[in-house]
Amino acid sequence: IQRNSGTLKIRTDQKIVYLRNWDDEKERLKGVTRLLQALVKLARTTNSEPAATAPPARAPELAKRAAGQR
């Protein structure tokens, strides 16, 4: 992102904005593909921690108590 600071930005809502003019749709798709491949490569090399897992499901009796049922 720092290398492409003129065309690539991260908004405050964490969305990536890529400002680029391509001549036609085919070039645009190739460019977006290259950008996504670079992001995937970056994510794979910097993410050394295992992916977060979902919390375990509640036991049925705990879920009923939390909902006010018995």
Side-chain angles (χ1 to χ4, degrees):
I1 293 172
Q2 290 173 345
R3 279 187 256 143
N4 297 300
S5 63
T7 58
L8 192 60
K9 300 177 184 205
I10 297 181
R11 295 186 348 191
T12 56
D13 60 359
Q14 300 301 306
K15 290 183 181 179
I16 297 173
V17 178
Y18 192 47
L19 305 169
R20 179 84 190 260
N21 289 327
W22 282 288
D23 293 330
D24 60 18
E25 185 176 321
K26 196 172 188 178
E27 288 299 315
R28 185 179 330 133
L29 291 174
K30 285 181 184 179
V32 171
T33 301
R34 284 191 303 267
L35 175 62
L36 289 175
Q37 288 171 343
L39 289 172
V40 167
K41 184 178 177 182
L42 180 66
R44 285 184 178 162
T45 58
T46 60
N47 190 7
S48 60
E49 296 180 18
T53 57
R58 287 180 149 183
E61 62 275 356
L62 294 177
K64 287 180 183 178
R65 274 192 235 155
Q69 300 174 352
R70 290 187 180 235

